Amino acid sequence: MECARRLGWALNTVKRYARAEKAEDLLRPPRYGICLVDAHRDLVQRRLADKTPVTRILAEIREHGYSGSANLLVRYINQGRADPQRVVPTPRRLVSWIMSRPTDLPDHTRRHLHDLLTSCREMSTLAARVREFATILTQRRGQDLTEWVTTVRLDTLPGFDSYLNGLLKDWDAVVAGLTLPFSNGPTEGVNTKIKYLKRQMYGRAGFSLLRKRILLSQ
């Protein structure tokens, strides 16, 4: 915190710099929005692989309905957005894509994720297992958990052993949570509200006032 105070930076920024082993670790890929070229990305990618001039690519995608400018296409290509191997998302963003429903992702993100997964067998298997577990969770199919664990064990995916061991340590509770309609959500909500009130009053009031606020908030 002293470093953050002296530099005038946010604490998380200082931590990110401290954790980085080399300068490249600090680089973050840009987050691009939806573009008119996205609908023709596969065609542009194929033509670039054939070393087709940009002017011919522009004419061809315009025949397929592209209504943007030539500068937009050139910028799209220079940014590497036509090549999924060049624009690699951060691990955190890739995890968020895999954890999301495919139908909730924009078309260009869904295509990008598909390209990344098909280029790596382990990643494709990982995404499949995550989505299977999401189905078990959302549809309360706890009876399928044993088969899912067995399948994941056979996949020998790195990093999964500790997660599976954690499930096995409290197996009955996990199966019940994935099967029964009951939830401890209301209790956790009350705990969160109490912590919020406590942090609001920290250093400003005593326990008696905190107690009154908690009782009045119920």
Side-chain angles (χ1 to χ4, degrees), residues 135 152 169:
T135 301
V152 175
K169 286 181 180 179

Side-chain angles (χ1 to χ4, degrees), residues 78-97:
N78 290 339
Q79 290 172 345
R81 297 173 65 181
D83 185 358
Q85 300 302 324
R86 287 182 58 186
V87 184
V88 180
T90 61
R92 180 177 296 181
R93 191 180 306 170
L94 181 57
V95 168
S96 70
W97 291 355

Side-chain angles (χ1 to χ4, degrees), residues 7 16 37 48 66 70-71 90-91 95 132 143 155 162 181 189 201:
L7 294 171
R16 186 163 63 89
V37 188
L48 289 175
Y66 173 66
N71 288 337
T90 61
V95 168
E132 290 169 2
Q143 69 276 8
D155 292 331
S162 60
M201 301 179 59

Side-chain angles (χ1 to χ4, degrees), residues 206-218:
F207 175 76
S208 59
L209 180 57
L210 173 62
R211 179 177 179 275
K212 290 181 181 177
R213 289 197 62 187
I214 292 175
L215 293 176
L216 291 173
S217 67
Q218 304 303 316

Side-chain angles (χ1 to χ4, degrees), residues 46-53 57:
R46 291 196 301 269
R47 295 298 176 262
L48 289 175
D50 297 337
K51 302 187 182 303
T52 304
I57 296 176

Side-chain angles (χ1 to χ4, degrees), residues 122-193:
E122 289 78 7
M123 286 295 299
S124 180
T125 303
L126 171 64
R129 298 296 171 260
V130 168
R131 289 166 182 168
E132 290 169 2
F133 187 83
T135 301
I136 294 174
L137 176 64
T138 56
Q139 298 183 9
R140 300 191 183 280
R141 291 165 48 184
Q143 69 276 8
D144 298 337
L145 187 60
T146 301
E147 181 181 355
W148 182 83
V149 170
T150 303
T151 303
V152 175
R153 291 284 193 194
L154 295 176
D155 292 331
T156 63
L157 293 171
F160 254 100
D161 285 340
S162 60
Y163 178 72
L164 297 179
N165 292 336
L167 293 180
L168 294 175
K169 286 181 180 179
D170 205 6
W171 182 257
D172 292 339
V174 172
V175 174
L178 295 175
T179 307
L180 302 177
F182 309 110
S183 171
N184 65 338
T187 303
E188 295 296 335
V190 172
N191 289 340
T192 301
K193 183 187 294 184

